[in-house]
Amino acid sequence: MPYVNIQVTREGVTREQKARLIDGVTTLLAEVLGKDPNTTFVVIEEVALENWGVGGLPVEAYRARKRPAAT
Amino acid sequence: MPYVNIQVTREGVTREQKARLIDGVTTLLAEVLGKDPNTTFVVIEEVALENWGVGGLPVEAYRARKRPAAT
Amino acid sequence: MPYVNIQVTREGVTREQKARLIDGVTTLLAEVLGKDPNTTFVVIEEVALENWGVGGLPVEAYRARKRPAAT
Amino acid sequence: MPYVNIQVTREGVTREQKARLIDGVTTLLAEVLGKDPNTTFVVIEEVALENWGVGGLPVEAYRARKRPAAT
Amino acid sequence: MPYVNIQVTREGVTREQKARLIDGVTTLLAEVLGKDPNTTFVVIEEVALENWGVGGLPVEAYRARKRPAAT
Amino acid sequence: MPYVNIQVTREGVTREQKARLIDGVTTLLAEVLGKDPNTTFVVIEEVALENWGVGGLPVEAYRARKRPAAT
């Protein structure tokens, strides 16, 4: 009965992408650990860019400093 | 000084229901473990339906597949 | 399908107390929000005293400063 | 720069299985959202059986009630 | 490669304050543990007042009971 | 009444370092947001190296690949 929490920056993740994440993680846990999908929860949290920091900076400032590289 | 995080799907939980959850969990920790309510934090997170997966599917698709059963 | 995470200091919580916490939280979510117990997860995390801080101090130092009051 | 937290019951998950989970989740996020693996964190938490509840019961009691079905 | 999650009540935290939190936590981890800022993630979660409980009450009711003291 | 969760790899963090992290984060929240230290919780979680992944690999394999650089 796994619980998986996925945190990503809020940048237009679509419903279809979310469904693929849910399906992919659930399948992975079934294949690797034999977990029953019916008791596998996946929760996706989308975090505003200004609320996510890396390198001591909010994400946007961090990306700008490194020159725009998709992360 | 417990910290309790409650994650539920975002489906119209009212302020009054939230207050009951906060009160109920705090009382439970006081009764079972003797924890002081003044240092018991309860944080409720409401998760969009499309961000919650079970059975390898977003909640709505999962419920539809099983036929509408309240979950 | 709620997920509840309970964090408490590691101070000899017994199996029986854990079972009461699990039962109590699950019942509360069923009563207040109509959630199905079979899809309610409760995860208890016990945190070492030196890993929990309050008042800017590890718990033990904090309690000593306030004079021993159970928390 | 995703962060993924995987919580499973502590039941002998091997290093090799953990490595597969880490690899699988990271690859999934790269494929679905284009996330850079070098800034994708995966944290696995193994939870003692007595600390995980479902159906209002600790996992072992829950499984016993349903008759031993792998979960 | 630390991951830090900061939960505060949603009460008008500014972008500039968030940037200071991100910078401060990242610097702290570099100074105390020698962690590389480029692999230090800081995620800030702002929680609605009605979703945060303390003393068995939602924050606003708790503050009102104690007489308005900034918390 | 903030709650802060700090996750780091389990690599011999000392009690004194933990106390400095607790103090530093609490002071930061008081300075930046005016939060009362007495209602600021800091929880440190130490994660086994084999349970932390980055770059699609467990930490140790990741570091070995990049050549041993402290992270």
Side-chain angles (χ1 to χ4, degrees):
Chain A
M1 48 205 64
Y3 167 82
V4 180
N5 186 276
I6 301 175
Q7 298 188 356
V8 292
T9 42
R10 189 188 303 281
E11 299 179 87
V13 182
T14 66
R15 278 175 175 265
E16 189 268 341
Q17 289 172 320
K18 292 174 185 176
R20 287 174 63 198
L21 291 176
I22 289 166
D23 177 52
V25 167
T26 306
T27 299
L28 181 70
L29 283 157
E31 290 179 353
V32 176
L33 298 180
K35 297 295 182 184
D36 180 352
N38 286 304
T39 50
T40 297
F41 290 178
V42 181
V43 170
I44 300 167
E45 293 189 46
E46 297 170 272
V47 178
L49 286 171
E50 68 188 59
N51 287 17
W52 196 301
V54 59
L57 294 169
V59 165
E60 286 173 305
Y62 178 77
R63 288 180 182 162
R65 194 183 63 181
K66 301 190 62 148
R67 78 204 29 187
T71 319
Chain B
M1 49 205 66
Y3 166 84
V4 180
N5 187 276
I6 299 175
Q7 298 188 357
V8 292
T9 42
R10 189 189 304 281
E11 298 181 87
V13 182
T14 66
R15 279 176 174 262
E16 190 267 341
Q17 289 172 320
K18 292 175 185 175
R20 285 174 63 197
L21 291 177
I22 289 167
D23 177 51
V25 168
T26 306
T27 298
L28 182 70
L29 283 157
E31 288 179 353
V32 176
L33 297 180
K35 298 295 184 185
D36 180 353
N38 286 304
T39 50
T40 297
F41 289 178
V42 180
V43 171
I44 300 167
E45 293 189 45
E46 297 171 272
V47 177
L49 286 170
E50 69 188 60
N51 286 18
W52 196 300
V54 59
L57 294 169
V59 166
E60 286 173 306
Y62 178 78
R63 288 180 181 162
R65 195 184 61 182
K66 301 190 64 147
R67 77 212 22 197
T71 319
Chain C
M1 48 204 65
Y3 167 82
V4 180
N5 187 276
I6 300 175
Q7 298 187 356
V8 292
T9 41
R10 188 189 304 279
E11 299 179 87
V13 183
T14 66
R15 278 176 174 262
E16 189 269 341
Q17 289 173 319
K18 291 174 185 177
R20 287 175 62 197
L21 291 177
I22 289 166
D23 177 52
V25 168
T26 306
T27 299
L28 182 71
L29 283 158
E31 289 179 354
V32 176
L33 298 179
K35 298 296 184 183
D36 180 353
N38 286 303
T39 51
T40 296
F41 289 178
V42 180
V43 171
I44 299 167
E45 293 189 45
E46 298 171 271
V47 178
L49 286 171
E50 68 187 60
N51 287 17
W52 195 301
V54 59
L57 295 169
V59 165
E60 286 172 304
Y62 178 77
R63 287 179 181 164
R65 196 184 59 180
K66 301 189 64 147
R67 78 214 17 198
T71 317
Chain D
M1 50 204 63
Y3 167 83
V4 181
N5 187 276
I6 300 174
Q7 297 186 358
V8 292
T9 41
R10 189 189 304 278
E11 299 180 87
V13 182
T14 66
R15 279 176 173 262
E16 190 267 340
Q17 288 172 321
K18 293 175 184 176
R20 285 174 63 197
L21 291 177
I22 289 166
D23 177 51
V25 168
T26 306
T27 299
L28 182 70
L29 283 158
E31 289 179 354
V32 176
L33 297 179
K35 298 297 183 184
D36 180 353
N38 285 304
T39 51
T40 297
F41 289 177
V42 181
V43 171
I44 300 167
E45 294 188 45
E46 297 170 273
V47 177
L49 286 170
E50 69 187 59
N51 287 17
W52 195 301
V54 60
L57 295 169
V59 166
E60 285 172 306
Y62 179 78
R63 288 181 181 161
R65 194 184 61 181
K66 300 190 65 150
R67 80 219 11 209
T71 318
Chain E
M1 49 205 64
Y3 166 83
V4 180
N5 187 276
I6 300 175
Q7 298 187 357
V8 291
T9 42
R10 188 188 305 280
E11 300 179 87
V13 183
T14 66
R15 280 175 173 263
E16 190 267 342
Q17 288 172 321
K18 292 174 184 175
R20 286 174 62 197
L21 291 177
I22 289 167
D23 177 51
V25 169
T26 306
T27 299
L28 182 70
L29 283 157
E31 289 179 354
V32 177
L33 297 180
K35 297 296 184 184
D36 181 353
N38 286 303
T39 50
T40 296
F41 289 178
V42 180
V43 170
I44 299 167
E45 293 189 46
E46 297 170 272
V47 177
L49 286 171
E50 69 188 58
N51 286 17
W52 196 300
V54 60
L57 295 169
V59 167
E60 286 173 304
Y62 178 77
R63 289 180 181 162
R65 196 184 60 181
K66 300 189 63 146
R67 77 210 24 194
T71 318
Chain F
M1 49 204 63
Y3 167 82
V4 180
N5 187 276
I6 301 175
Q7 298 187 357
V8 292
T9 41
R10 189 188 305 279
E11 298 179 88
V13 182
T14 66
R15 278 176 175 264
E16 188 268 343
Q17 289 172 322
K18 292 175 184 176
R20 286 173 63 196
L21 290 177
I22 288 167
D23 177 53
V25 168
T26 305
T27 299
L28 182 70
L29 282 158
E31 289 179 352
V32 176
L33 298 180
K35 297 296 184 185
D36 181 353
N38 286 304
T39 50
T40 296
F41 289 177
V42 181
V43 171
I44 300 168
E45 293 188 46
E46 298 171 271
V47 178
L49 286 170
E50 69 188 59
N51 286 18
W52 196 301
V54 60
L57 295 169
V59 166
E60 286 173 305
Y62 179 77
R63 288 180 181 161
R65 195 184 61 181
K66 301 189 65 147
R67 79 213 19 198
T71 318

